[in-house]
Amino acid sequence: MSRSLVLPALLAAAVATPCLAFDVSGAINAEYWRSDTWSADSHSAAPVWDLGGSIAVHGSPIRQDLLDLSGNLDYRHTRTLYSEASSTGQNFTYAGSASLFRRSPLSLGIGASRNRYDFTSDGASATTGTTFSSNETANLGLQIANLPTVGATVMHTTTENTGFAGLNNKTDSTSMAASLNQTLGPHTYAAAYNTSWNSGNYSENNYRLHYLNLQETSEISKDIQLRVNDNYLLRDPTLQASNNPRIDDNAFGTSLSWKLNPVVTTQLAYNYHHGVVSAPSALDREYLNHGVSTNVGYAYTRSLSFNANLGFNNNQERLGDTNRRASGEQIGGGVNWFSIRGPWQYNAGGQLNVGLLHDQTGTNGGYGASATTSVSRRWERLVGMLGYSGSYSTNLSAVSGWTFSHTVTANADVDVGAGVRLQNNLTASASRQQDPLLGTSFSRNVSLLSSTSWRIWRVSLSAGLTDGLSGQPAGIADGLFIPVAYNSHSAYASVSTGVTPAKSLSLNASARYVTTSAPERATNSETGLTGTLGYNIGAVTFSLEDQYSTGGSSGITQRGNLFMARISRSFGASF
């Protein structure tokens, strides 16, 4: 559609046959909570009554998609009784929006919302608190054939909190965003710019933000493609403070790839990254990286391919008055293979790289290797996969030090029969890094996900652990098959089940456990049980929920129980 046809199209939509339509929906809720806490020989209970309601309206007073209006109101009143005092909370939210010419070349929209929460506590001395937030938005979209697609949004957000002591905390943010994209034959480009003005009582809330992203792709010919990407970020404080840093970061990359023939592909790439982070009373950090690389791929057969790469890097890093410069060259190659033999599928690949690192200590050799392999098989009722990947690198890409990481993955999908299906995934990984400035670190992550369903039943299991170590470990260990003496630990496990014995009845239960420990810190752990029941009678919903938890640290244990009952009546109408 040409520019000259936009106005006639909008006028035609405006004078079209009116179509008045409105939808109204809402709900009225009533809840009762009771919170019990046991600690040593003490016990406290706090019953809570929660009443509320909501209503939403959506309509098209002229014609649907020409002018659409919507609005909603939500109100909640909560009262909590303690042994010596009571508290009351009132939460009121209202919002409205309008969109114009939603399905036309030019679309417009506006919206606004307000939320106010008042809290009052009647103790030895009455205390109050208020939180107020507001949001206003406006957006524009323009989409015309043979012209760039344009989008723009303006938003203003304000939050103000007045605490019990009368202290006021306010944040204010105004943001603008604009985007532009178009395809011109073999060329596609996109640009996006975001900026915001931010202020508040705390120093870290006072800054300007700019973000720019540019992307371009060109199909120069059938076999040649050019890609360009540029990202720029500036966080500029308007109030100087040690916790309000200035961040200036720019990342640029471009690549040119082409097919020499049906089996040979080549790519040439350049990457640039420069950034400065500074703040009062802190050392400035600056980094500058350049990288040039080329890669050649050769498809020897449909299942076997080779690749070769060559790269040059230059890195500069500054922390205060300390500077570190390094440059490097690396060359390498790899192979990838896959095969399908009956129900079996095999995948394997490997990469080797060697290079030189030049820094203040002189010239040092570097090398690296990586490998991936997996095997999968399909049986009549079982699909299984086992995979492994690992990599090691030292003094490559102009980065001194070394890194090592590897991952094991296992999947099993079992059809037991009679409608029962089991899905399981296990992932375990470990990494180790040694940096001349940051020292040595070791970490391990293991996660297990399992789920099953049978007719009206559902069961899921989730478990995992994370371990870490700072400093040099004793002995030789990979961190996964040969573990080290990790000194920080975190583990969790949860299981949940649900059943729907009738269309209007649902039952759910879950159990969870989590524990954490670290050097010079007390071990924390918690165990929880939850059960819920939901029942629908037409537009009325009843629900019961009970949550029990126990846990603590340093030998101090605390138990708690939360019971909730809820009834909700929903309604709706269209006219």
Side-chain angles (χ1 to χ4, degrees), residues 27 29 31 33 48-55 72-79 87-95 113-120 129-134 159-161:
N29 309 312
E31 297 182 14
W33 307 355
V48 181
W49 286 266
D50 191 346
L51 303 175
S54 63
I55 185 171
N72 66 276
L73 299 173
D74 184 88
Y75 175 77
R76 294 187 64 181
H77 182 278
T78 303
R79 181 171 176 79
S87 65
T88 301
Q90 297 186 75
N91 194 344
F92 182 60
T93 303
Y94 60 96
S113 65
R114 299 287 187 274
N115 175 265
R116 181 183 179 92
Y117 178 74
D118 295 306
F119 179 85
T120 303
T130 300
T131 299
F132 173 80
S133 62
S134 65
T159 301
E160 185 173 359
N161 176 264

Side-chain angles (χ1 to χ4, degrees), residues 138-221:
N139 57 75
L140 175 148
L142 180 63
Q143 188 172 5
I144 303 175
N146 302 321
L147 289 178
T149 299
V150 179
T153 301
V154 179
M155 179 183 299
H156 178 252
T157 302
T158 300
T159 301
E160 185 173 359
N161 176 264
T162 303
F164 294 152
L167 299 177
N168 182 273
N169 178 31
K170 183 177 180 180
T171 61
D172 187 275
S173 176
T174 301
S175 62
M176 299 176 60
S179 63
L180 184 74
N181 63 83
Q182 187 179 19
T183 298
L184 299 172
H187 309 285
T188 300
Y189 70 89
Y193 173 68
N194 297 270
T195 185
S196 63
W197 296 259
N198 305 276
S199 62
N201 295 70
Y202 296 107
S203 55
E204 64 269 22
N205 295 328
N206 296 268
Y207 62 93
R208 282 292 314 277
L209 186 67
H210 304 270
Y211 176 73
L212 176 66
N213 173 257
L214 302 174
Q215 299 182 48
E216 197 275 340
T217 302
S218 294
E219 302 287 345
I220 299 175
S221 69

Side-chain angles (χ1 to χ4, degrees), residues 183 231 260 342 353 371 523 548:
T183 298
N231 289 279
L260 299 179
N353 293 281
T523 298
Y548 174 81

